[in-house]
Amino acid sequence: DTAIHRGLNLHRVSPNNARAQTMLPLIRNVLFLTIFVIALIVALANMGVNVTPLLAGAGVIGLAVGFGAQSLVADLITGLFIIIEDSLAIGDYVDVGNHLGTVEGLTIRTVRLRDIDGIVHTIPFSEIKSIQNYSRQFGYAIFRLPIPQALSVDKAIEMVQEVGRSLRQD
């Protein structure tokens, strides 16, 4: 894990770095699981256990789990393509279906968004039909401005525009 962090220079901020941080937990988990399973099989074989039936049984169990968890498999495959195509990255401001917010986290199966009200939404990738990414090579600032009832809407818009002009000049 430390070697991967050093190799990717994850202390710098860049678009490739955001993609690397998105993929890093997936790579770490796959490597750990692969090494663990191979080590377990080698250890059992060295202790004299016949591992051939275990491997055959694992294949049958994997097939049964695959059929039983079709939505999970759909999430995984869709998530893999979304991450590879770099449609989403941590920190992006996106509209995913009925949810609009900042991407706080990505797994291989879900995306976690925080909306403007502070609510966190965890959305499985299989439910995502389209992605609108507002922050990719562009920037938005979203403000929530409470307006007193006594103030007219036209006056409030005029005040916001005036502040915007002064900020632009600054």
Side-chain angles (χ1 to χ4, degrees):
D1 190 44
T2 303
I4 291 171
H5 271 80
R6 286 184 183 158
L8 294 174
N9 291 325
L10 292 181
H11 58 276
R12 291 183 301 167
V13 177
S14 72
N16 290 335
N17 189 4
R19 188 173 187 188
Q21 286 182 345
T22 301
M23 293 293 287
L24 190 62
L26 169 68
I27 293 168
R28 185 184 309 130
N29 291 339
V30 167
L31 283 174
F32 174 75
L33 188 62
T34 303
I35 291 170
F36 179 77
V37 168
I38 290 172
L40 183 66
I41 290 171
V42 169
L44 288 173
N46 284 336
M47 289 190 294
V49 176
N50 186 7
V51 294
T52 307
L54 291 175
L55 293 175
V60 171
I61 289 172
L63 188 63
V65 168
F67 280 121
Q70 288 180 355
S71 66
L72 176 65
V73 173
D75 288 341
L76 293 174
I77 292 171
T78 307
L80 186 62
F81 281 113
I82 287 174
I83 291 172
I84 287 173
E85 291 172 354
D86 201 24
S87 300
L88 293 172
I90 295 173
D92 284 351
Y93 189 76
V94 296
D95 183 357
V96 179
N98 297 330
H99 304 289
L100 184 68
T102 303
V103 177
E104 282 195 343
L106 285 171
T107 66
I108 191 66
R109 199 179 69 78
T110 61
V111 60
R112 192 173 62 245
L113 297 179
R114 182 172 301 273
D115 67 14
I116 195 167
D117 294 321
I119 300 169
V120 175
H121 303 275
T122 302
I123 306 157
F125 281 127
S126 62
E127 292 182 11
I128 296 174
K129 301 300 179 211
S130 67
I131 300 169
Q132 290 83 33
N133 195 330
Y134 294 105
S135 60
R136 187 62 53 97
Q137 299 172 344
F138 198 75
Y140 274 96
I142 298 174
F143 298 96
R144 206 167 256 210
L145 301 172
I147 299 173
Q149 265 186 325
L151 185 64
S152 73
V153 175
D154 293 333
K155 180 66 178 166
I157 292 172
E158 182 182 320
M159 290 172 66
V160 168
Q161 289 173 339
E162 181 182 323
V163 169
R165 281 190 293 274
S166 70
L167 286 173
R168 188 174 295 134
Q169 289 173 356
D170 191 20

